[in-house]
Structures are given as C-alpha cells and as structure tokens.
Amino acid sequence: MTTQDLPSTAGNPESSGRTIPPASVARLTIYLRALNSLLAEGVERASSEELAEAAGVKSPMLRKDLSYLGSYGTRGVGYDVQLLTRTISARLGLTQEWRVAIIGAGNLGRALAGYSGFTTRGFEVAAIFDADPSIIGTEIGGLKIHNTADLETVLHRTGANMVVLAVPGRVAQDLCDKLVAAGITSILSFAPVVLQVPPHVQVRKVDMATELQILAYHAQRAQESELDSETRARKAQ
Amino acid sequence: MTTQDLPSTAGNPESSGRTIPPASVARLTIYLRALNSLLAEGVERASSEELAEAAGVKSPMLRKDLSYLGSYGTRGVGYDVQLLTRTISARLGLTQEWRVAIIGAGNLGRALAGYSGFTTRGFEVAAIFDADPSIIGTEIGGLKIHNTADLETVLHRTGANMVVLAVPGRVAQDLCDKLVAAGITSILSFAPVVLQVPPHVQVRKVDMATELQILAYHAQRAQESELDSETRARKAQ
DNA sequence: CCATGTGAATGCCTTCACAGCC
DNA sequence: GGCTGTGAAGGCATTCACATGG
C-alpha cells in the first residue's frame, strides 16, 4: 500500500479522515458522553480545559484526540458543543442505526436487554436468543426469545448487524463460530474465554473477573506498602 | 525515593517483586484462566507457545509478561501448570479472599450477584444494597438487600473491601463519595460516568455503551473500505 | 489576547533475536 | 536440542511547548 491509494480524503473535507488511534477512539466515546451532558444542560460552548475536566483527562490529550477528527474548534474561544457532538458521532459511526442481537437470555442477557443506555444512542435491540426450551417463546421487554438453533435465519430477518454474547464460557466459541458463519463481523462478548475469529471480525470483551483481579492486584500492593511503612516506622523507633 | 528503600526483594526470593506494567497485569488474568482450563484437563506442563495460543497472544509477549514475576519456567521444557497458577494467583493478590459489596440491585446488580465466576475465584459477595424501599429487605441468592442509607455500617459489619457499583449514572458519584468516605479503595463501576476519586482509590470502569461505540467505529470503517473498493473496481472497468 | 492545533520529545508497550540453561 | 528469559530495537501513546489564527 503506497501513499497513492489512500482513501478519498483529497477533495473531501467532510469525512476528513485517516484512521484514528485506538486509544483515541476509546476516549472519543467518553467525550461524547460529556458533550451530551453539556448539551442537556443547555451549554453551547466549552473549552478543551472544561471538556477535559469533565472527561477526566488532561486538556492537551483531549486536543490531540480531537485533532484526529480535523479542526472543529475556534482558537481563542473553544468548541461548539453541538457541532463537536455531531462530528464525533459521525466519525464513530453513530449516525447510522445499529441493530444488536443479544445471545443468551440469562440474568445478564435480561439486564442488557433492559439497559436503556443501549437504545438511547443509535443502538436498537433487534432480537434475543437462548438455547433453553423452557424460556424460548417467552418475552423480554416486548421481544420474543428465539431459539439459538434459528440463529442465522432470525439474524437476517431482523437485520441484526452486531451481537452481544452473554452466554456461559463453554458454549461461547461454538456460538461465535455460528455468528461468523452468519456474516456477523462485530461481537461484544461477556463470556470469560478467548474467542478465535477470522481477522475481519471485530471482537471486544467485557470481563468482570479480570477487572476484579486487576483491582485485587492494586489493593494487595497498597496493603504491602502500608505494611512496609509500618515496618520502617517500627525500625526507626 | 532512592534505590535503597525498594521493598524487601533482596533476600526474599518468594514474593519476588517489583511493580508489573499495567498491560501485563491485565494479561496475567487471562493466562490464569488458560492455566485453570489446563489444570482441569489434567495437563501438567505447557510451553510458552501453547499458553500463548490459549490466551490469544504471541509467545514472546507471554514470556516477557511472565518474566516480571521472576523465573518460574524450565528452559528446554516449559512451565509447570500448577506452579505457574499459584505464582500468578499469589502475585495478583488472589490468595487472600476479597469481600465484594454490590451496590444496586437492579437487573445488572442481580445478574452480578448470581454470577458464578465471582465466587469461584477468591471473590465473595459480602452484601447487596439498593435505595428502593420496595425491594429493601428482600433476598437475592440468600443475601438480604440493605438500604444504601446504611452503607457505612453494613460495609464494616460484613467486612467488604471491594465494591461493584451497578447504579444509574446520576447517583453514581454520590454513592462513590460515600464509599470513599467509608474507606473503600477498590471500585468496579458499571455506571456510564467518569467518577472523581482521591488518588489512593482505584476505580475501574466497565462500559457497554463505549464498547459498542468502538465496534461501530470499526464496522463503519469496514463498510467504507468496502465501498471504496467497489468504486475502484467500477472505475477500473 | 486567548485557546486551539500540532511538531517534537518523552515514556511505555511490544516485538525481535539470541544468550543462557536444562 | 529446545525453550525460557531478556537486552535491544521499534512502534504507539502521551505530554510538552509553542506557533497559529480568530
């Protein structure tokens, strides 16, 4: 790939863009949330300092992140909240609607199906699946639970183009394979296993056990350094 | 801080340790899971190649990560599954038991309370809280739901030293402040807001909306490059 | 003047290649 | 001989400092 087959940015100031570093993409979603709060409060302008504060980052970082989108601020003034909101949304792909299928109607699947943060911004729950015959056919929030045996058919019929996997680890890879076979390329997995997928499929993982373990690591270190300083204090006596 | 007051590693081959890079800590939890699977299958030894495969990383990375723990492999042979499991567990702080309080007994809180992956490894649910009078006093999985008004008392009585916050964004900061005041220093938050805490408090955030938005970004890019290549193909005709 | 946008500097993480050891 | 452990190299991400432009 040479400089020449770079996408159509040349005469196209609109979707002005090269690829955004992954770390920045993650933070853009946070900025978006901060901006939505400001929007709700009726705030029209904000400086990088104010936005950074709200997002919990330092202002130079926020400015660098925003610079990947192009130049949407006004020097000496700040950013127009509405414009910036629209710009980030567009760039993250939130102006089109995404149809999400939830696989697994256990506790977690139900919680997700009822999660309002879902529908509020560009994500629509398109279908819910489970393998348990005793709950297939019953409804959750107005959506009938489908049989995972009908995965491909129902995914296509409902137009689902994203999937949230909320199933036990032992069946996750099997379902994942079926999703890939059905043409799904975006998967958010809550299953505590490493999913093997072809390179064109994006998988993101949310893992409570991992997060708790990371907290445990830091908590233990804090304990140790506490003990250390006690020991030191005792020696110093 | 000079080299001299480095912790007690000198004559202490046991907890051989300097601080592990954050990125490595995160992966160690994954290795641990892979090791537990192997253990369950009765496998006694594994090479860095095999472990890396199971964890979805490249072998040099796994070896570097493990090197932060010290030297627990055998050259020419590989790693003893049991020994490595114990070593990682100890270093992550999983040999002591952590008592977790869940704040918020909505759909998500209930799902978490019932999550088996919790209790299986060093984490015990110590208490559950909610602010809704209509469910306070009822039980979930044998645990009575406490009033968030009694937060501090109950946290101390139950010996909780970690908290999972599963409450709506608008009340998260308020509860977080109360947790900090009660002496909690490890918080896993599912609330879609940036929590402000003093530096000695560790907060980790799990955020489904963010994860979906990141997927949307990549999905949109995939769409675009697909369109691009179609256009190019058409032009080439 | 003031706050944005950005090249340059720094630091962290990952990858590589191979020395060291069983 | 084979696989671990690790210094060195390379690639990202973050921070800094300031030039730029309303």
Side-chain angles (χ1 to χ4, degrees), chain A residues 33 112 204 207-208 211, chain B residues 33 112 204 207-208 211:
Chain A
R33 217 157 16 214
L112 294 172
R204 294 196 61 88
D207 192 326
M208 299 167 263
E211 298 299 330
Chain B
R33 218 159 12 217
L112 295 172
R204 296 196 58 89
D207 192 328
M208 299 167 263
E211 297 300 329

Side-chain angles (χ1 to χ4, degrees), chain B residues 30-60:
Chain B
I30 311 294
Y31 304 157
L32 197 50
R33 218 159 12 217
L35 286 165
N36 281 318
S37 298
L38 293 178
L39 216 51
E41 294 168 28
V43 178
E44 293 183 356
R45 276 203 313 257
S47 67
S48 63
E49 200 66 58
E50 293 163 335
L51 281 175
E53 161 85 32
V57 302
K58 302 251 186 60
S59 63

Side-chain angles (χ1 to χ4, degrees), chain B residues 20-152:
Chain B
I20 304 171
S24 289
V25 173
R27 282 188 300 265
L28 284 173
T29 68
I30 311 294
Y31 304 157
L32 197 50
R33 218 159 12 217
L35 286 165
N36 281 318
S37 298
L38 293 178
L39 216 51
E41 294 168 28
V43 178
E44 293 183 356
R45 276 203 313 257
S47 67
S48 63
E49 200 66 58
E50 293 163 335
L51 281 175
E53 161 85 32
V57 302
K58 302 251 186 60
S59 63
M61 179 133 109
L62 177 130
R63 289 202 302 275
K64 173 128 290 208
D65 286 338
L66 295 185
S67 78
Y68 295 117
L69 305 177
S71 193
Y72 291 94
T74 310
R75 297 179 194 226
V77 178
Y79 300 89
D80 180 294
V81 173
Q82 199 143 71
L83 172 62
L84 192 53
T85 303
R86 275 200 294 259
T87 306
I88 297 179
S89 294
R91 199 58 176 288
L92 289 180
L94 304 177
T95 44
Q96 61 185 294
E97 186 164 274
W98 297 98
R99 298 186 59 76
V100 180
I102 298 175
I103 322 280
N107 284 323
L108 183 57
R110 283 161 198 272
L112 295 172
Y115 177 52
S116 59
F118 246 150
T119 39
T120 47
R121 209 155 329 283
F123 298 93
E124 178 79 13
V125 180
I128 307 181
F129 295 86
D130 204 289
D132 179 354
S134 73
I135 62 170
I136 290 170
T138 62
E139 289 200 355
I140 297 177
L143 279 169
K144 205 178 73 174
I145 300 178
H146 293 281
N147 192 333
T148 46
D150 307 328
L151 203 57
E152 188 149 3

